[in-house]
């Protein structure tokens, strides 16, 4: 365990000019005192780790010290090659760079690990788009991707409902969600999300912006995705579900909303049925979602939706006799 931590510490210092004890402790998930002991152990082993004292001090490697990748194990090597997404890299115009990088890493591996790229590719494949839809790569994606990698500001025309607006953006990151590309960017000190296929024109103005070091793309996306999921649930329906219906409800409606509604519901009645208030996008969406549960759900309100289900049940009774 400690040997792996020492190697990780060297690699972290190799990747950055200097790191504070607090930064290393956070990355290595240890205390700052442990970082101090590990730095001393590396120094005694011949690794030139130097500690700068003072409030702005930290740890750094001196003398251009570099380590090599010959210490990779098979699971580490295979995980490394799983990190590339061929389709996404191709769409962003980075396929050649990624291919060259994989070749360089492959050449650095021990002979016994040279099959890692092939074994990883045969065990995992990411198919990002959802079912029943043809993925389309936005024409402007390579231009935006280049601006993301180079930290260049962009100007673009963006379709917003029935109008087109001009935007000046600092492009921070790209997200591929269910076959749709999104740009996370800062505009007027506020981070927002834009669908890339809604840009009709984009150009980089050549100006480099200073990135916010505290911006965390995965955390930002998770927060915005959760906000979006909650924001579209603008209506409510009251339903009574059987035990089977309660188990299936999270699979046909918004999972988080269904689970929260079930947790807040009163105890089951004598027949095991639970009555709950469920947030939904609209009565029409609720109709199509809840209809798939058949007799495992009874809609109690609103009255118009209950009448719609009653009419559908009557037509089905007549159809099937």
């Amino acid at each position: 365990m400690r040997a792996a931590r020492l190697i990780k510490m060297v690699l972290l210092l190799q990747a950055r000019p200097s790191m504070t004890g607090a930064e290393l402790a956070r990355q290595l998930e240890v205390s700052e005192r442990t970082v101090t002991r590990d730095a001393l152990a590396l120094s005694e082993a011949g690794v030139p780790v130097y500690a700068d004292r003072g409030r702005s001090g930290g740890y750094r490697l001196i003398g251009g010290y570099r380590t090599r990748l010959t210490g990779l194990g098979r699971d580490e090597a295979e995980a490394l090659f799983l990190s590339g997404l061929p389709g996404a890299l191709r769409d962003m115009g980075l396929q050649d760079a990624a291919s060259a990088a994989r070749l360089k890493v492959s050449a650095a591996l021990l002979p016994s690990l040279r099959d890692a790229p092939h074994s990883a590719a045969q065990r995992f494949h990411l198919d990002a788009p959802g079912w029943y839809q043809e993925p389309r790569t936005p024409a402007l994606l390579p231009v935006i991707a280049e601006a993301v990698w180079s930290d260049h500001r962009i100007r673009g025309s963006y379709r917003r409902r029935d109008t087109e607006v001009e935007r000046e953006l600092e492009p921070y990151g790209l997200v591929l969600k269910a076959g749709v590309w999104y740009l996370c960017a800062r505009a007027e000190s506020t981070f927002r999300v834009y669908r890339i296929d809604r840009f009709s024109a984009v150009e980089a103005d050549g100006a480099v912006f200073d990135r916010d070091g505290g911006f965390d793309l995965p955390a930002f996306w998770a927060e915005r995705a959760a906000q979006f999921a909650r924001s579209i649930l603008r209506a409510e329906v009251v339903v009574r579900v059987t035990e089977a219906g309660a188990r299936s409800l999270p699979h046909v409606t918004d999972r988080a909303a269904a689970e929260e509604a079930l947790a807040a519901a009163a105890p089951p009645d004598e027949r095991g049925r639970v009555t709950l208030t469920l947030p939904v996008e609209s009565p029409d969406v609720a109709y199509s979602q809840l209809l798939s549960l058949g007799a495992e759900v009874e809609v109690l309100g609103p009255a118009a939706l209950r009448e719609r289900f009653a009419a559908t049940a009557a037509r089905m009774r007549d159809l099937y006799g």
Side-chain angles (χ1 to χ4, degrees):
M1 177 67 73
R2 190 189 186 198
R5 189 175 70 243
L6 292 174
I7 292 173
K8 184 176 180 180
M9 183 174 178
V10 173
L11 293 174
L12 286 169
L13 293 174
Q14 183 173 297
R16 297 175 60 176
S18 177
M19 294 184 71
T20 66
E23 290 173 332
L24 283 169
R26 185 166 55 252
Q27 291 285 341
L28 299 173
E29 299 180 348
V30 295
S31 67
E32 291 189 46
R33 182 172 295 181
T34 298
V35 169
T36 301
R37 288 198 298 264
D38 286 351
L40 179 60
L42 287 170
S43 181
E44 292 174 348
V47 179
V49 177
Y50 181 78
D52 291 314
R53 305 298 180 185
R55 293 182 58 185
S56 59
Y59 295 88
R60 59 188 175 90
L61 294 173
I62 60 176
Y65 180 86
R66 307 289 293 178
T67 186
R68 303 184 65 181
L69 292 174
T70 51
L72 282 176
R74 171 165 293 277
D75 56 344
E76 294 169 326
E78 291 177 343
L80 176 64
F81 285 98
L82 280 180
S83 64
L85 308 178
L89 292 169
R90 181 182 62 250
D91 292 346
M92 290 186 289
L94 298 174
Q95 186 176 25
D96 291 342
S99 177
R102 285 193 294 269
L103 287 174
K104 291 179 180 179
V105 174
S106 295
L109 292 174
L110 293 172
S112 60
L113 302 179
R114 296 285 167 79
D115 66 334
H118 176 75
S119 63
Q122 295 305 313
R123 287 167 173 78
F124 176 79
H125 173 69
L126 176 66
D127 185 8
W131 291 104
Y132 315 120
Q133 63 180 16
E134 188 68 25
R136 296 180 180 179
T137 302
L140 296 173
L141 176 60
V143 177
I144 295 175
E146 184 177 354
V148 168
W149 302 126
S150 60
D151 294 340
H152 280 128
R153 285 202 305 259
I154 61 174
R155 294 190 183 95
S157 300
Y158 189 75
R159 293 187 300 275
R160 188 176 178 182
R161 297 184 179 89
D162 298 329
T163 62
E164 193 167 89
V165 295
E166 298 298 317
R167 289 286 184 265
E168 289 191 5
L169 305 171
E170 296 176 353
Y172 267 67
L174 298 168
V175 175
L176 177 60
K177 169 71 171 179
V180 179
W181 284 93
Y182 296 89
L183 170 67
C184 300
R186 183 167 60 181
E188 300 177 352
S189 302
T190 302
F191 288 99
R192 295 185 173 91
V193 176
Y194 302 86
R195 275 187 61 142
I196 291 183
D197 57 8
R198 292 181 182 170
F199 282 99
S200 59
V202 170
E203 65 175 358
D205 65 9
V208 176
F209 65 90
D210 294 325
R211 294 181 68 92
D212 181 349
F215 179 77
D216 185 330
L217 179 60
F220 171 78
W221 177 260
E223 180 184 352
R224 288 306 172 93
Q227 290 176 357
F228 174 77
R230 290 192 297 268
S231 69
I232 63 174
L233 303 179
R234 301 187 180 94
E236 290 183 340
V237 298
V238 180
V239 298
R240 184 157 50 214
V241 293
T242 64
E243 292 184 20
R247 290 194 299 270
S248 300
L249 191 62
H251 301 288
V252 301
T253 64
D254 181 85
R255 176 179 291 275
E259 291 177 346
E260 290 176 5
L262 287 166
D269 62 17
E270 67 280 359
R271 296 172 59 182
R273 300 177 303 174
V274 175
T275 300
L276 56 96
T277 300
L278 179 69
V280 295
E281 185 173 347
S282 68
D284 286 340
V285 172
Y287 172 79
S288 61
Q289 292 174 334
L290 297 175
L291 191 63
S292 64
L293 297 182
E296 306 302 331
V297 61
E298 178 188 359
V299 175
L300 304 178
L305 184 60
R306 179 178 175 86
E307 292 171 2
R308 186 175 179 183
F309 269 88
T312 300
R315 291 199 306 271
M316 293 183 70
R317 183 185 62 243
D318 294 342
L319 179 63
Y320 290 100

